[in-house]
Amino acid sequence: MYKRRNSSIGVLFLLISLCVNAQSPKKYFSLAEKLFEANNYNEALTNFSKAIELDPKYEKAYVSRALCYEKLNKKTEAVEDYRKAILLSPKEKEYYYHGGRLLSNLENWKEADQMFRKALERDKGYEEVITEEIKVLHKTKDYTYGLQVSQMGLDVKKTATSYYNHAVMQDSLKNYVEAEKEYKNSKYYDSKFMPAYVGLALVQVKLNKINDAVTTCETALTKDANSVDVFEARSYVYAAKNDYQNALNDISKVLVSKQSAPLYKARAGFYTKLGQSQNAANDYSQAIKLNDKDVESYLKRAEAFEQAQNMKAAVADYNKVAALSVGNSKAELIALDAKKKAFDLSRETNKPEIVITSHKLINDRYIKLPGDKDELIISGYVNDASFITSIQANTAYANFSKDSLNPRFTVKVGGLNKINEIAFITTDVYNNVQNMTFKVERTEVNKPVITLEVPSASSDGEIFLDSNNPDIYVQGRIKDESLIESIYIDGVAASFSPTANNPDFTSQITIANKNKISITAKDVYGNETKQDFTLNRSGAEAAANNPMGNTWVIFIENSKYQSFSSLDGPAKDVTTMKAALANYKISKILHKKDMTKTEMEKFFSIELRDNVKNQNISSMVIWYAGHGKFVSPTGYWVPVDGKTDDEFSYFGINNLKAAMQAYSSKLKHLLVITDACESGPSFLMAMRGGEDNLRCENNDLIKSKSAQVFTSAGYELATDNSQFTKTFASTLNNNTDACIAVEKIVKKVTGAVVQAGNQAPKFGKIKDLEDEGGTFFFMKK
């Protein structure tokens, strides 16, 4: 066993040795080359790296990995590998060339130049390096060394290109005579080499050989009639001759086929010379689109705008020049000049105007201040065409942005218990000063009083909900000596009239997952009240178990008439009915007050229609309390703006029926109750009678649709003492059964009204509305 074990260990060491030997650098390199040829560069990279790990002096692996990096667009890493290869073979010129080429692609001109110089030290006739180095030297503007390199190119081979490169270096060094000679040599070697003609024409302009330059351009065009480079060069030649129209024509031809910021700027300059300032501004705008950081374009466009008398645009551009020149020492003088021009062009003499927004002014000059206040925080803004330097209120200075036009400001003014005015002094950058004085008028300090009407609340602020609806309708009234500025319910603005004293307010709010609501009211003098109301959901289940379904009661209370006598009775009647209905399963009560004819038409045609559809209302009572008129054969409800002698100003009962026909099909039960004298027989079709089977358990009556009307039928105007309403409410209050049918209430009300000496009310179904013989039950909670 011992010998067998030693034998096994020997085999294991042999396998390990073979594995290590199998992972030699050359193996990895060979695999990497195959992967590279298969375009699998990532895997090739991995294997080249493993070869280098095993042999850090593996020169060929560095070069191959550099090629791989380049394929993967990792040029910086490729450069580093060429540097490592150079350390291993510092005489290898190609490593310098490829390193410099990649650095040039990375726009690292300085290091690219260093690489190319090293390559040329090793081979002055290295054509590829000469070509690339000339490009780099133009970027670094090292034209002196560039002249040497271009001469190396000529020494290698005299061609149109090598002469041209040499000419450009001479040109850049301002050796214009030598440059002219070399440009001519270039075109001599290739008579169709357009860059030589372009360079020659432009250097001839510099030598003031304008006519020769024109001839050079025309000769070039005989070789290539469509050369945009020659047209561009000739435009500059024409400009040198002050022939700006022809210069404009030529450069416009160039811009048809290629667009650049310098070309647009050149044409803009020609337009300026021709006195076409707006066209010049347009071309500078095009140049700015292509390079929005070019200070010169903004500066020139500002000058063009100024010439075109567009001072506002000129000021904006001068300000832009100043902004772009920040931190640029070479542009500091330009920036200062631009700021001065902008400042001078913007000069005006209008005085600043203070506008106060934090307080409602009385007669534009009086500021209200609560009687117990000694200081006031005032905010607003300044109207002025210029920047503001100072805003002072009495002895206090306002906070505002001096870099903003028409700035908003805030200032705290104290010591108002000793003085009764606030004097504002506002100054702009042109020293235009405005003095404005506001008188301080003391106001009351009492807080608004909040009264919640719908839903009703107990004296200790508890609201009893009769449904689990996530939303509730809230209605109330604010009592205050002053006008109310805002009313919020749980942070949501309520609807109210800000011009009404003691205004009513309404809102639809969400109460899901809430155990209270908060109502906040603030008057125009800042006196504020916040009141919390607790939500009690103990009665919510009752509505959910109502056989009549979602039941709404709509009260129309018209009291404050413009032409008819005003009434106190309707308000009392509605309050009485609300109290009586509190013991019954009513999902929602909607109370509309003092409605005009237009409001009534809109309510029944649109608002109520939308509620029926959107709130899934099953049963609905519409109760009208107010004046009525009967002009045979039509009954009317009188809106608060109804005129005593104008039948057209009334709201016809038939109009109500017409509006409701659009949505009555959505309702299971409809009951219209009119406590209005002179409304006549209304729109009832026939009397309904008989109290047999009017029991809560009679599901047929509940499931069958009904459309009923119960109306007083006298011919006197409404009074403030309604036996009709009193008995109706009393019958509901005294009912001991689980429900009560409307027919039983009708019987009680009719008896009481007749006994009081009045004409019997009318009860029946509504003509033309669907009625299946059902009836309206008031279900007790």
Side-chain angles (χ1 to χ4, degrees):
M1 284 184 65
Y2 181 77
K3 288 182 178 180
R4 185 177 297 169
R5 184 179 178 186
N6 279 343
S7 175
S8 298
I9 292 172
V11 170
L12 179 61
F13 273 111
L14 179 60
L15 289 171
I16 291 172
S17 177
L18 288 171
C19 287
V20 170
N21 197 38
Q23 304 300 324
S24 67
K26 290 184 179 180
K27 292 285 187 181
Y28 281 118
F29 184 83
S30 178
L31 176 59
E33 282 191 315
K34 292 176 181 178
L35 291 167
F36 185 89
E37 290 172 4
N39 299 329
N40 191 344
Y41 302 121
N42 284 308
E43 289 297 322
L45 186 67
T46 300
N47 283 276
F48 282 134
S49 297
K50 287 181 179 179
I52 291 169
E53 287 175 15
L54 293 172
D55 183 1
K57 294 184 178 181
Y58 201 157
E59 178 184 338
K60 193 174 181 181
Y62 283 115
V63 174
S64 296
R65 190 171 69 172
L67 292 173
C68 204
Y69 274 131
E70 188 173 358
K71 290 289 186 182
L72 293 170
N73 201 31
K74 295 181 178 181
K75 296 176 182 178
T76 301
E77 291 85 345
V79 170
E80 290 307 309
D81 271 356
Y82 281 121
R83 290 188 195 280
K84 291 172 183 175
I86 287 170
L87 291 174
L88 296 170
S89 292
K91 294 183 179 181
E92 182 53 60
K93 63 181 182 181
E94 289 202 6
Y95 297 165
Y96 294 102
Y97 165 65
H98 289 297
R101 176 179 56 80
L102 291 168
L103 287 165
S104 179
N105 289 339
L106 292 168
E107 297 185 359
N108 187 339
W109 313 118
K110 183 177 179 180
E111 292 190 26
D113 177 33
Q114 291 172 356
M115 283 284 194
F116 289 143
R117 286 180 188 238
K118 293 288 186 181
L120 289 173
E121 286 174 7
R122 285 150 182 78
D123 183 359
K124 292 184 179 181
Y126 201 155
E127 288 189 69
E128 291 87 345
V129 173
I130 291 170
T131 300
E132 293 297 324
E133 175 70 328
I134 286 174
K135 296 177 185 176
V136 169
L137 293 171
H138 278 298
K139 294 292 184 180
T140 61
K141 298 183 179 180
D142 188 351
Y143 305 119
T144 300
Y145 181 61
L147 194 63
Q148 295 178 38
V149 175
S150 62
Q151 183 60 55
M152 292 178 192
L154 281 170
D155 292 342
V156 172
K157 189 176 183 180
K158 292 179 173 58
T159 65
T161 301
S162 60
Y163 272 115
Y164 175 78
N165 289 334
H166 202 50
V168 171
M169 290 301 174
Q170 295 281 20
D171 199 345
S172 301
L173 289 167
K174 299 184 179 180
N175 299 328
Y176 301 133
V177 173
E178 292 83 355
E180 180 184 26
K181 175 183 174 183
E182 302 296 14
Y183 283 130
K184 288 179 177 180
N185 286 333
S186 175
K187 70 184 185 68
Y188 170 79
Y189 273 85
D190 183 354
S191 64
K192 294 183 179 180
F193 187 54
M194 290 298 108
Y197 289 95
V198 171
L200 177 60
L202 295 178
V203 83
Q204 285 171 334
V205 170
K206 295 169 188 175
L207 291 168
N208 202 28
K209 297 179 179 182
I210 309 300
N211 292 330
D212 288 349
V214 172
T215 301
T216 298
C217 291
E218 290 175 351
T219 301
L221 290 172
T222 63
K223 309 293 183 181
D224 183 356
N226 298 312
S227 173
V228 293
D229 293 332
V230 175
F231 281 125
E232 181 181 354
R234 193 171 68 172
S235 72
Y236 303 136
V237 173
Y238 279 136
K241 290 184 66 177
N242 296 324
D243 186 354
Y244 296 109
Q245 188 58 58
N246 276 322
L248 184 67
N249 294 340
D250 271 357
I251 205 163
S252 294
K253 294 174 185 177
V254 177
L255 279 165
V256 170
S257 57
K258 69 174 184 178
Q259 291 80 41
S260 71
L263 286 172
Y264 277 115
K265 287 169 66 176
R267 190 171 71 171
F270 300 155
Y271 276 129
T272 300
K273 292 292 185 178
L274 290 168
Q276 299 179 29
S277 301
Q278 188 56 55
N279 286 336
N282 294 341
D283 269 4
Y284 284 124
S285 296
Q286 293 297 323
I288 289 168
K289 284 183 181 179
L290 296 170
N291 181 5
D292 63 358
K293 298 294 187 292
D294 183 20
V295 172
E296 185 185 33
S297 292
Y298 285 104
L299 184 61
K300 292 294 185 180
R301 187 173 69 173
E303 293 170 353
F305 278 138
E306 193 175 347
Q307 289 297 318
Q309 298 300 305
N310 188 347
M311 299 307 176
K312 185 176 181 180
V315 168
D317 274 355
Y318 282 129
N319 286 329
K320 185 68 175 181
V321 169
L324 288 173
S325 301
V326 172
N328 185 345
S329 57
K330 293 182 179 179
E332 283 181 358
L333 291 176
I334 296 175
L336 288 172
D337 187 54
K339 284 182 179 179
K340 185 178 184 304
K341 284 188 175 182
F343 187 81
D344 291 340
L345 288 174
S346 300
R347 184 176 297 279
E348 44 85 21
T349 58
N350 296 324
K351 294 181 179 181
E353 179 186 358
I354 285 286
V355 179
I356 293 176
T357 58
S358 57
H359 297 77
K360 185 176 181 180
L361 301 180
I362 308 300
N363 296 327
D364 296 330
R365 277 292 182 270
Y366 286 87
I367 297 178
K368 297 286 187 177
L369 179 67
D372 59 346
K373 299 289 184 182
D374 177 49
E375 64 181 23
L376 194 62
I377 296 177
I378 301 174
S379 58
Y381 61 92
V382 179
N383 268 334
D384 196 61
S386 307
F387 291 108
I388 302 301
T389 57
S390 173
I391 304 172
Q392 183 179 352
N394 289 353
T395 58
Y397 285 89
N399 293 317
F400 68 98
S401 172
K402 294 184 178 182
D403 297 325
S404 300
L405 287 172
N406 302 321
R408 302 198 68 83
F409 69 86
T410 301
V411 62
K412 181 190 283 188
V413 184
L416 295 176
N417 56 345
K418 298 178 182 178
I419 55 178
N420 62 355
E421 65 180 25
I422 300 172
F424 275 89
I425 303 174
T426 310
T427 308
D428 69 17
V429 292
Y430 298 109
N431 288 321
N432 299 310
V433 180
Q434 178 69 281
N435 294 287
M436 296 181 72
T437 301
F438 299 91
K439 297 291 184 181
V440 176
E441 185 175 295
R442 297 289 173 171
T443 66
E444 51 90 7
V445 295
N446 297 320
K447 295 182 177 181
V449 176
I450 300 171
T451 301
L452 189 63
E453 297 174 346
V454 180
S456 58
S458 62
S459 58
D460 57 354
E462 189 171 17
I463 298 171
F464 293 88
L465 299 174
D466 55 9
S467 77
N468 285 317
N469 290 337
D471 299 328
I472 63 170
Y473 173 80
V474 176
Q475 177 179 315
R477 176 170 292 183
I478 305 298
K479 185 177 181 181
D480 194 72
E481 299 171 48
S482 309
L483 293 175
I484 299 301
E485 179 182 284
S486 64
I487 304 172
Y488 287 92
I489 304 177
D490 282 351
V492 178
S495 176
F496 74 101
S497 172
T499 59
N501 291 315
N502 303 320
D504 294 332
F505 66 88
T506 60
S507 183
Q508 189 84 7
I509 63 169
T510 298
I511 58 170
N513 302 317
K514 292 181 181 179
N515 56 20
K516 70 174 183 177
I517 62 172
S518 297
I519 301 178
T520 304
K522 183 168 71 172
D523 68 20
V524 291
Y525 303 125
N527 302 310
E528 184 176 278
T529 298
K530 181 180 180 181
Q531 189 170 345
D532 292 338
F533 294 88
T534 304
L535 301 175
N536 187 325
R537 290 182 169 83
S538 61
E541 292 301 321
N545 297 323
N546 187 354
M548 295 292 286
N550 186 15
T551 302
W552 281 36
V553 175
I554 315 297
F555 287 106
I556 309 296
E557 174 205 328
N558 281 352
S559 301
K560 297 178 181 178
Y561 284 92
Q562 298 170 13
S563 297
F564 288 80
S565 59
S566 292
L567 301 168
D568 293 328
K572 297 176 183 177
D573 291 347
V574 171
T575 301
T576 300
M577 284 304 304
K578 283 183 179 179
L581 290 171
N583 296 317
Y584 289 82
K585 295 179 179 180
I586 305 299
S587 302
K588 184 169 182 177
I589 293 176
L590 191 59
H591 186 181
K592 309 294 285 187
K593 295 182 180 179
D594 298 322
M595 300 183 77
T596 63
K597 181 182 180 183
T598 299
E599 290 171 339
M600 293 176 80
E601 289 173 344
K602 182 178 180 181
F603 174 73
F604 286 109
S605 298
I606 299 174
E607 186 179 340
L608 190 56
R609 176 202 65 195
D610 291 345
N611 278 322
V612 169
K613 292 179 179 179
N614 298 333
Q615 303 296 333
N616 296 316
I617 302 174
S618 297
S619 302
M620 185 164 64
V621 177
I622 298 176
W623 183 293
Y624 173 76
H627 283 308
K629 292 288 285 183
F630 179 71
V631 181
S632 182
T634 304
Y636 294 94
W637 291 345
V638 180
V640 293
D641 59 348
K643 296 178 174 56
T644 56
D645 57 351
D646 185 1
E647 179 182 346
F648 183 75
S649 67
Y650 308 150
F651 180 74
I653 302 296
N654 288 330
N655 292 345
L656 168 66
K657 180 175 65 177
M660 297 190 65
Q661 281 176 333
Y663 51 89
S664 63
S665 61
K666 300 285 185 180
L667 295 168
K668 179 70 73 174
H669 298 284
L670 172 63
L671 175 60
V672 178
I673 300 171
T674 302
D675 185 12
C677 295
E678 287 203 16
S679 59
S682 185
F683 43 39
L684 59 83
M685 182 176 174
M687 289 296 294
R688 303 170 61 114
E691 296 184 34
D692 297 338
N693 299 319
L694 296 178
R695 298 186 299 275
C696 301
E697 60 269 20
N698 191 335
N699 287 330
D700 290 339
L701 290 175
I702 294 174
K703 291 180 179 180
S704 299
K705 298 188 71 167
S706 66
Q708 300 162 282
V709 58
F710 184 33
T711 174
S712 60
Y715 295 97
E716 299 293 332
L717 290 174
T719 67
D720 286 329
N721 185 18
S722 172
Q723 185 66 47
F724 183 97
T725 301
K726 189 186 300 182
T727 306
F728 201 113
S730 175
T731 304
L732 289 172
N733 288 329
N734 295 327
N735 172 47
T736 58
D737 295 332
C739 73
I740 183 170
V742 68
E743 284 85 349
K744 291 185 178 181
I745 300 174
V746 167
K747 183 177 180 181
K748 292 279 189 180
V749 172
T750 300
V753 170
V754 171
Q755 187 175 357
N758 297 317
Q759 188 173 341
K762 302 293 184 180
F763 175 66
K765 67 178 183 177
I766 301 174
K767 184 179 180 182
D768 298 328
L769 294 187
E770 188 175 358
D771 188 303
E772 297 173 344
T775 196
F776 198 101
F777 283 95
F778 291 89
M779 298 288 180
K780 291 196 75 171
K781 292 180 179 177

